[in-house]
Amino acid sequence: MKIVTPHYYKDFKCIAGACTDTCCAGWDVDVDDKSYRYYKTVDGNFGKRLKSVMVPEKEGGCTFTLQNGRCPFLNDNNLCDLYIALGEDKLCDTCAEFPRFINEYGSVKEIGIAPSCKTAGEIIFNYDKVLTFDEEEDGKPLTGYNDIDGFLYMQLRNARKCAYDIIQNKKYTPDEVCLILIEYAIRIQKHMDDERDDLIANVVKSFKDEKILDKIIADAKKKKTYDSFRGFKDIGRFFEKFDGMEVINPDWLKYCDIQEKFMKFCHDGSSYEKYVIEFEEYYNDRQFEYRQLLMYYIYRYFLDAVYDINIVLKVKNAIIGYAALRHLDVAAWAANGKKLSKTEQVDIAHLYSRQFEHSYTNFEKYSEKFMSMRCYGYSSLRRMMAVSYTHLRAHETLSDL
C-alpha cells in the first residue's frame, strides 16, 4: 500500500508520563476483537484483572470499564500497566494508534495526528512552513476492500490539492480562505448532486485562478454579507449544550464558561468585532497556526466525501473548527489581560478536538446540526468569516508561505 503522511508526522512521539494530560481518561476504551481474544487468554493475576474490566460488545471486541473516569490500567504515574505487563505490541488498536488517525482509499492509506493530543498539537501549531506530504510504499497487501468510486476519488483528490493551495496562499487571510472554501464546496457539491463528477475538474481549474478567488472576496464585501449582530449571535451557538452531549474533559466547560462571559461582556456585535480585530493584530505573526488547523481538517476529512457524497459537510468541519477555535482564543486572550500563550492555545485546540472529534455521539450530533441549522448555513458562515476581513489584512511572518 501507499502510505501518505504530513511532513511533520515523523516528529511525533508519545511522551507518556511526562505529558501534562492523559489520553486514557474521559472516554471509553474500545478494544478491537483481535486484542480482546488475546486478552482473554492472559493468565495469572493480570489476566484476572483484565477479565474483571472487559465488557463484551455485540459487534465484537469489548470496552474497558472506567474507574473514576480513567482507564483501569492507567496507574498513579499516568503510565499504562497493560503496556508494562504485556508490552507495546499487545496494546489494542485504539491505544496503539491514538492520536493517529488512519483513512484508507483503495490502495492508499493516509495517516496523520490529531490536535486532541497536546504533543501532536504542539507539532501541528509550531509548523510554520508550507505543509507537504510524504509518500512511501510499505510493500504490504491491502488491509481491506474499499468500495469506492475510483473516478470520484481521483476528482476529489485533485480538488483537495487545490484546497491545500488556497489555504496556504498567504495572499488571503484565514477568514478569506474560509470564504473561498465555502464557495468551492458549494460548486463541487452541485456537480456531485447532479451526478456530474466529471465537471468537478472545471471547478478545480477555475479556483486555481486568483482572479476568481479575488472576485469571490470582492463580491462578499460588495454584498455586505457581514452583519455584526447576527454574526455575533451565530458564533455563540456552537457552545450551546444539547441533550445527550458528552463532556470528554471538564476543562471544556471551563472554556465554554469563559466564552459565555466574554459574549455577555461584549453585549453586541460591534463590540465583539473590535475585540476580534484587536486580537488579529496581536496574533499577526501566528496566523500560520490557523492555516495548519485548516490543513489538518481538509487532509483528514475531505476525501471521505467519496463515501457519503457530502463535500459541504467536510468543508464545514474545517471552517467551523477554525471559527470555534479562533473564538475561544479571543475569549481566553481577553480574559487573560489580552495575552494568549502557545501552551494555552494548544490546550484549547486539544479540548475542542476531543469534544468534537472523539465522541461518536457528539460528532454525529454536530454533523446533523451543521447540515440542518440556519446558524451553520452558507450565509451564517460567511458572516462569521467576515468579522475581520473587511478591516484587516494579516501580514504573516512565515519563511516559506
Side-chain angles (χ1 to χ4, degrees), residues 173-182 217 225-226 231 235 276 280 294 318-324 326 378-390:
T173 68
D175 279 7
E176 291 173 330
V177 164
C178 290
L179 285 168
I180 294 168
L181 291 179
I182 292 169
I217 301 299
T225 59
Y226 179 56
I235 192 64
V276 171
E280 293 284 351
L294 288 167
I319 293 172
I320 296 168
Y322 158 67
R326 201 267 301 272
Y378 303 138
S379 296
S380 295
L381 292 179
R382 291 187 182 104
R383 285 194 293 270
M384 290 182 196
M385 292 305 103
V387 171
S388 62
Y389 79 82
T390 58

Side-chain angles (χ1 to χ4, degrees), residues 237 310 312-313 316 320 364-378 380:
R237 296 294 301 276
N310 192 345
V312 164
L313 177 59
K316 281 187 176 183
I320 296 168
E364 289 299 305
K365 188 65 176 182
Y366 281 126
S367 296
E368 179 185 326
K369 286 174 175 285
F370 291 171
M371 295 305 297
S372 62
M373 293 180 64
R374 183 174 296 179
C375 63
Y376 300 117
Y378 303 138
S380 295

Side-chain angles (χ1 to χ4, degrees), residues 156-320:
L156 290 177
R157 193 176 72 170
N158 291 334
R160 186 177 64 172
K161 175 60 170 64
C162 181
Y164 290 159
D165 293 340
I166 293 170
I167 293 169
Q168 300 194 106
N169 186 341
K170 74 171 184 178
K171 177 180 179 180
Y172 306 107
T173 68
D175 279 7
E176 291 173 330
V177 164
C178 290
L179 285 168
I180 294 168
L181 291 179
I182 292 169
E183 186 63 31
Y184 190 50
I186 291 171
R187 297 189 191 186
I188 293 175
Q189 188 67 57
K190 182 181 185 305
H191 294 318
M192 294 173 73
D193 291 343
D194 293 341
E195 298 184 354
R196 291 300 308 272
D197 299 341
D198 56 305
L199 297 180
I200 293 174
N202 294 341
V203 178
V204 174
K205 181 178 180 181
S206 66
F207 274 70
K208 290 181 178 179
D209 185 346
E210 287 189 358
K211 292 181 181 178
I212 299 295
L213 308 188
D214 292 343
K215 187 175 186 304
I216 291 172
I217 301 299
D219 287 348
K221 295 178 181 178
K222 189 183 301 181
K223 293 175 183 177
K224 296 181 180 180
T225 59
Y226 179 56
D227 178 322
S228 62
F229 178 76
R230 292 182 66 184
F232 169 72
K233 288 291 185 181
D234 289 342
I235 192 64
R237 296 294 301 276
F238 180 86
F239 303 95
E240 296 175 352
K241 295 181 181 179
F242 55 81
D243 290 341
M245 185 180 79
E246 295 181 343
V247 178
I248 304 302
N249 187 323
D251 284 349
W252 169 252
L253 299 180
K254 181 185 78 173
Y255 280 99
C256 286
D257 184 57
I258 288 173
Q259 75 83 30
E260 184 178 356
K261 290 178 180 177
F262 173 64
M263 296 289 272
K264 289 179 180 178
F265 176 79
C266 288
H267 297 298
D268 57 33
S270 60
S271 177
Y272 176 73
E273 179 183 348
K274 291 176 182 177
Y275 272 96
V276 171
I277 293 170
E278 187 178 351
F279 174 79
E280 293 284 351
E281 293 171 342
Y282 166 82
Y283 222 66
N284 187 47
D285 62 349
R286 291 170 58 185
Q287 290 291 318
F288 65 86
E289 297 172 11
Y290 293 129
R291 293 190 190 274
Q292 296 300 355
L293 184 71
L294 288 167
M295 288 291 289
Y296 159 76
Y297 279 115
I298 294 300
Y299 173 61
R300 180 167 187 173
Y301 294 109
F302 195 92
L303 292 187
D304 282 352
V306 75
Y307 296 114
D308 63 6
I309 319 300
N310 192 345
I311 197 67
V312 164
L313 177 59
K314 310 305 176 288
V315 172
K316 281 187 176 183
N317 285 344
I319 293 172
I320 296 168

Side-chain angles (χ1 to χ4, degrees), residues 44 340 346:
L340 183 69
V346 168

